[in-house]
């Protein structure tokens, strides 16, 4: 319905089915602009003791120095995160986040996109489904790829 979620549960009674919470990426954090600037760096901090998950993005060459040098990381000095999810027993219990996996995925016609294809792409939807259109137009996805220079994982000192 186009209304931002205020409840991250995919079963929230006053939201679309499977809506959950989303975030809008930083300008230049994806697509052509991202590729043109030489990529960038994404960082996420998951801290159940402090009660949050925070994420940041920096265009290539604008990363904080402690992150560049990979020592003594100080996320509180990285500026305002572009997403902040509260972890608390009342809002979203940290116990929901166990056995986490990182998945890189490009989904063209999943639960959400497949269901809004007719609305978002009315011209194309007159003659094909989302899956058919994607299969018949590979040229539209020439800049749809992953190129990952590194994936680093850090743990706070004294963490269990």
């Amino acid at each position: 319905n186009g209304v931002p979620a205020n409840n991250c549960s995919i079963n929230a009674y006053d939201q679309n089915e499977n809506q959950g919470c989303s975030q809008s990426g930083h300008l230049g954090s994806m697509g052509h602009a991202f590729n043109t600037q030489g990529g960038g760096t994404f960082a996420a901090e998951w801290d159940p003791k402090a009660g949050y998950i925070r994420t940041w993005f920096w265009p290539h060459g604008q990363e904080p120095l402690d992150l560049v040098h990979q020592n003594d990381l100080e996320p509180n000095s990285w500026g305002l995160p572009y997403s902040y999810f509260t972890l608390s027993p009342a809002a979203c219990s940290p116990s929901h986040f166990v056995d986490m996996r990182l998945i890189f995925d490009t989904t063209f016609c999943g639960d959400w996109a497949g269901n809004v294809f007719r609305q978002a792409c009315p011209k194309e939807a007159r003659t094909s489904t989302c899956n058919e259109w994607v299969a018949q137009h590979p040229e539209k996805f020439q800049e749809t790829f992953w190129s990952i220079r590194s994936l680093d994982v850090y743990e706070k000192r004294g963490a269990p």
Side-chain angles (χ1 to χ4, degrees), residues 105-155:
D105 175 46
T106 303
T107 302
F108 296 111
C109 301
D111 288 344
W112 179 80
N115 289 324
V116 299
F117 180 68
R118 185 177 311 272
Q119 177 187 355
C121 306
K123 179 181 170 191
E124 293 82 358
R126 279 187 258 149
T127 58
S128 60
T129 66
C130 183
N131 287 332
E132 291 167 344
W133 192 85
V134 168
Q136 293 167 6
H137 296 282
E139 74 281 1
K140 300 289 186 184
F141 306 98
Q142 291 178 354
E143 290 198 28
T144 305
F145 58 89
W146 292 92
S147 178
I148 300 165
R149 184 173 298 129
S150 69
L151 173 64
D152 303 312
V153 177
Y154 302 91
E155 189 171 344

Side-chain angles (χ1 to χ4, degrees), residues 31-85:
H32 181 74
F34 181 77
N35 295 341
T36 300
Q37 70 193 14
T41 299
F42 292 88
E45 179 187 27
W46 170 29
D47 191 335
K49 286 186 179 179
Y52 55 72
I53 297 173
R54 304 187 293 179
T55 64
W56 293 265
F57 169 77
W58 303 276
H60 176 70
Q62 296 181 28
E63 300 85 355
L65 288 178
D66 60 331
L67 196 59
V68 171
H69 298 297
Q70 300 180 342
N71 62 8
D72 296 323
L73 300 180
E74 292 292 336
N76 289 329
S77 71
W78 295 350
L80 188 67
Y82 77 83
S83 67
Y84 182 101
F85 297 98

